[in-house]
Amino acid sequence: MRSEAEKKQLLQRLKRVEGQVRGIQKMIDEDRYCVDILVQVSAINAALKKVGYKLLEDHTRGCVTNAIQLGDGEESIDELMKVIQQFSKS
Amino acid sequence: MRSEAEKKQLLQRLKRVEGQVRGIQKMIDEDRYCVDILVQVSAINAALKKVGYKLLEDHTRGCVTNAIQLGDGEESIDELMKVIQQFSKS
Amino acid sequence: MRSEAEKKQLLQRLKRVEGQVRGIQKMIDEDRYCVDILVQVSAINAALKKVGYKLLEDHTRGCVTNAIQLGDGEESIDELMKVIQQFSKS
Amino acid sequence: MRSEAEKKQLLQRLKRVEGQVRGIQKMIDEDRYCVDILVQVSAINAALKKVGYKLLEDHTRGCVTNAIQLGDGEESIDELMKVIQQFSKS
């Protein structure tokens, strides 16, 4: 389970990402230069990657660690590896 | 310059991405399972990558092609290579 | 520790990657079409990523799991997260 | 067409990559620590990415620019976009 402080931090980051996505819509609407828009899209991706790595870390320290301590890590690690690959390719 | 149809399609995709980002905030707020949230984050990244590739293609067919036809491609290709690297790493 | 079967499989994959890297040198030497070479470079990267994910999985099932079971997972997970990020960006 | 200087530089980089791939085989053979091997795999991927970006740039400045100047850029840009996506995901 995420602490309230962690939740608050993740929500703040995602609020900012939401604003950035709206910002790009505005840029497209105003026919702004493609390269400037692409730089913004890259910035959002990078911000979402950070959110993802934070979730991945919390998950490994929390759920995966608990499963391993209960002698039941196999399935949990299968799932972890699968989501790491999916996330890394995105 | 993007056509109205292209702008409309990009804006629709970005509206959907905006909704997905709000969806993740809700998932965090409701303490949903980390792996499910990570799958959603990966889906948003993939959707933004598609938007980025579309912008990259439009830019190459438009601005870069024009610059090359005017015998002035050097600077335009420098900028293109830089943004491709930045975008690919994001 | 990797089993002999796992080591053999990893070594076979890396032998193949080594051959592919030599193949690209030959392609450049013979002035082959850039796009064909780039497709080969992408294939090698994909093959190396597979090797990397296999190592990551073995490491998580082995060293990280052991550390967690010994109540000493913190440092091991720090290191894991760091290498995942480095590897994903490469 | 690549100049002799460009070919030489690319071949030198690929020789080094070939040596690094052999180095990883040795590390696996000697049961070295997985994380150290993963760091090396990441380094090779990064080196190959650099080779790829160089090829991509040469290709855009050469073949793609020529095709556009001959008023025949469409197909060339299609191919470019496809290989950029394939390469970026690898």
Side-chain angles (χ1 to χ4, degrees):
Chain A
M1 198 61 77
R2 281 170 286 280
S3 72
E4 284 308 307
E6 282 172 333
K7 279 175 66 169
K8 208 178 147 183
Q9 193 200 36
L10 283 169
L11 287 171
Q12 275 174 342
R13 286 194 196 177
L14 287 164
K15 262 283 165 243
R16 210 177 311 137
V17 167
E18 195 191 323
Q20 287 174 300
V21 175
R22 265 197 302 270
I24 291 180
Q25 293 173 54
K26 199 158 166 282
M27 289 175 94
I28 286 172
D29 210 46
E30 294 171 352
D31 293 316
R32 296 276 290 278
Y33 185 45
C34 341
V35 171
D36 291 342
I37 306 180
L38 257 169
V39 168
Q40 276 305 306
V41 173
S42 307
I44 299 182
N45 267 335
L48 279 170
K49 281 279 163 96
K50 272 196 188 167
V51 169
Y53 283 122
K54 187 75 186 73
L55 289 166
L56 197 64
E57 187 176 345
D58 293 349
H59 176 61
T60 309
R61 291 200 196 283
C63 315
V64 179
T65 295
N66 290 345
I68 290 171
Q69 282 167 342
L70 294 167
D72 192 29
E74 285 302 301
E75 214 177 317
S76 189
I77 292 174
D78 283 347
E79 189 187 51
L80 180 69
M81 289 302 131
K82 216 176 121 191
V83 81
I84 287 173
Q85 289 195 42
Q86 193 177 345
F87 176 59
S88 295
K89 278 173 191 161
S90 74
Chain B
M1 198 61 77
R2 282 170 285 280
S3 72
E4 285 307 308
E6 281 172 333
K7 279 175 67 169
K8 207 178 147 184
Q9 193 200 35
L10 282 169
L11 288 171
Q12 275 174 343
R13 287 193 194 176
L14 287 164
K15 263 280 165 248
R16 209 177 310 136
V17 167
E18 195 192 322
Q20 287 174 300
V21 175
R22 265 196 302 270
I24 292 181
Q25 293 172 55
K26 198 158 168 281
M27 289 175 93
I28 286 172
D29 210 47
E30 292 171 352
D31 293 315
R32 295 277 290 278
Y33 185 46
C34 341
V35 172
D36 292 342
I37 306 180
L38 257 170
V39 168
Q40 276 304 307
V41 173
S42 307
I44 299 181
N45 267 334
L48 278 170
K49 281 278 164 97
K50 273 196 188 167
V51 169
Y53 283 122
K54 186 76 186 73
L55 289 167
L56 197 63
E57 188 177 344
D58 293 348
H59 177 61
T60 309
R61 290 199 196 283
C63 315
V64 180
T65 296
N66 290 345
I68 290 171
Q69 282 168 343
L70 294 167
D72 192 29
E74 284 303 301
E75 214 177 317
S76 189
I77 293 174
D78 282 348
E79 189 188 51
L80 180 69
M81 289 303 130
K82 217 177 122 192
V83 81
I84 287 173
Q85 289 195 43
Q86 194 177 346
F87 176 60
S88 296
K89 278 175 190 161
S90 74
Chain C
M1 200 60 77
R2 282 169 283 281
S3 73
E4 285 306 309
E6 280 172 334
K7 278 174 66 168
K8 207 178 146 184
Q9 193 200 36
L10 282 169
L11 288 171
Q12 275 174 344
R13 285 193 196 179
L14 287 165
K15 264 279 165 247
R16 209 178 310 137
V17 167
E18 195 192 323
Q20 287 174 302
V21 175
R22 266 196 301 271
I24 291 181
Q25 292 173 56
K26 198 157 166 283
M27 288 175 93
I28 285 172
D29 210 47
E30 294 172 350
D31 292 317
R32 295 274 291 278
Y33 185 46
C34 344
V35 171
D36 292 342
I37 306 180
L38 256 170
V39 168
Q40 276 304 305
V41 173
S42 307
I44 299 181
N45 266 336
L48 278 170
K49 281 278 164 95
K50 272 195 188 170
V51 169
Y53 283 122
K54 185 78 187 71
L55 289 166
L56 198 64
E57 187 177 345
D58 293 350
H59 177 61
T60 310
R61 290 199 196 285
C63 315
V64 180
T65 295
N66 290 345
I68 290 171
Q69 282 168 341
L70 295 167
D72 191 30
E74 284 302 301
E75 215 177 315
S76 190
I77 293 174
D78 282 348
E79 190 188 49
L80 180 69
M81 289 303 129
K82 217 178 121 191
V83 83
I84 288 174
Q85 288 195 42
Q86 193 177 346
F87 175 60
S88 296
K89 276 173 192 163
S90 75
Chain D
M1 198 61 77
R2 281 170 284 280
S3 72
E4 284 308 306
E6 281 172 333
K7 279 175 66 169
K8 208 179 146 184
Q9 193 200 35
L10 282 169
L11 288 170
Q12 276 174 343
R13 287 194 195 177
L14 287 164
K15 264 280 164 248
R16 210 177 310 136
V17 167
E18 195 192 323
Q20 286 174 301
V21 175
R22 266 198 301 272
I24 292 181
Q25 292 173 54
K26 197 158 167 280
M27 289 175 93
I28 286 172
D29 210 48
E30 293 171 350
D31 292 317
R32 295 276 291 280
Y33 185 46
C34 342
V35 171
D36 292 342
I37 306 180
L38 257 170
V39 168
Q40 276 304 307
V41 173
S42 307
I44 299 181
N45 266 334
L48 279 170
K49 280 278 164 97
K50 271 195 189 169
V51 169
Y53 283 122
K54 187 77 186 73
L55 290 167
L56 197 64
E57 188 177 344
D58 294 349
H59 177 61
T60 309
R61 290 198 196 284
C63 315
V64 179
T65 295
N66 291 344
I68 289 170
Q69 282 168 341
L70 295 167
D72 192 31
E74 285 302 301
E75 214 177 316
S76 190
I77 293 174
D78 282 347
E79 190 187 49
L80 180 69
M81 289 303 129
K82 217 177 122 192
V83 82
I84 288 173
Q85 289 196 42
Q86 194 178 344
F87 176 60
S88 296
K89 278 173 191 161
S90 75

